[in-house]
Amino acid sequence: MRAALTRAVTEAELAISEHTRAALAVLVQGRLLVVHDRDGGATFELAHEVLVGGWGTLRGWLDADADDRARREQLAAAAGEWQRVGRRGDLLWRGPRLTEAHALEVDQLTDLERTFVAASARAARQRRWAVRIAVVGVVVLV
């Protein structure tokens, strides 16, 4: 888990709002975060790994958010792969994964992640209707 906490994250992954931007500026100015300008935009990284274990308040926030953070990381990976391969329908989520994605705070998701969840929900609804129509068709034929 520690490696996931100290990896660099992009502006898109942070779903930067004006409040987030102000907080990031303070953290960068205080040298708690390092910002790197890359081709794909800025990335942010903890300046010192000791912050994760040594700062009690930050540790508490991270522990409290661990489950949601893990879900968001899974969602980001799935949405990125879905985008990379041309938005194929077979990579959309359904069942428990989709339910967990719906439980996440929408305003904390990137546009791609929101699009992925919406496409997954739409595909799940279409599957349910297809099953219902098939059942009615079988009943009518019998």
Side-chain angles (χ1 to χ4, degrees):
M1 179 66 107
R2 185 161 287 214
L5 297 175
T6 59
R7 73 175 180 83
V9 293
T10 65
E11 287 179 301
E13 288 175 294
L14 292 172
I16 294 182
S17 68
E18 286 308 311
H19 298 295
T20 309
R21 190 174 311 284
L24 286 173
V26 170
L27 292 171
V28 169
Q29 186 177 23
R31 297 187 178 150
L32 299 174
L33 285 181
V34 177
V35 62
H36 303 282
D37 289 321
R38 303 228 164 90
D39 293 338
T43 60
F44 298 89
E45 189 172 22
L46 285 176
H48 307 283
E49 189 172 331
V50 73
L51 289 172
V52 176
W55 185 9
T57 304
L58 177 60
R59 169 68 18 219
W61 291 338
L62 292 172
D63 288 345
D65 193 43
D67 289 340
D68 279 352
R69 191 173 54 255
R71 282 189 210 107
R72 284 192 307 267
E73 287 175 5
Q74 290 174 345
L75 177 59
E81 179 65 8
W82 177 68
Q83 176 75 18
R84 188 186 69 76
V85 299
R87 298 183 175 207
R88 289 188 356 220
D90 61 326
L91 295 180
L92 294 172
W93 282 3
R94 59 182 169 185
R97 281 181 149 180
L98 182 56
T99 301
E100 287 181 356
H102 279 297
L104 295 172
E105 294 290 329
V106 175
D107 62 338
Q108 293 181 2
L109 302 179
T110 65
D111 288 339
L112 175 62
E113 292 163 354
R114 282 192 290 271
T115 301
F116 176 78
V117 171
S120 294
R122 196 169 35 256
R125 279 192 305 276
Q126 289 171 344
R127 276 190 291 277
R128 281 193 301 272
W129 275 105
V131 168
R132 290 175 184 156
I133 289 169
V135 167
V136 169
V138 168
V139 169
V140 167
L141 287 174
V142 170

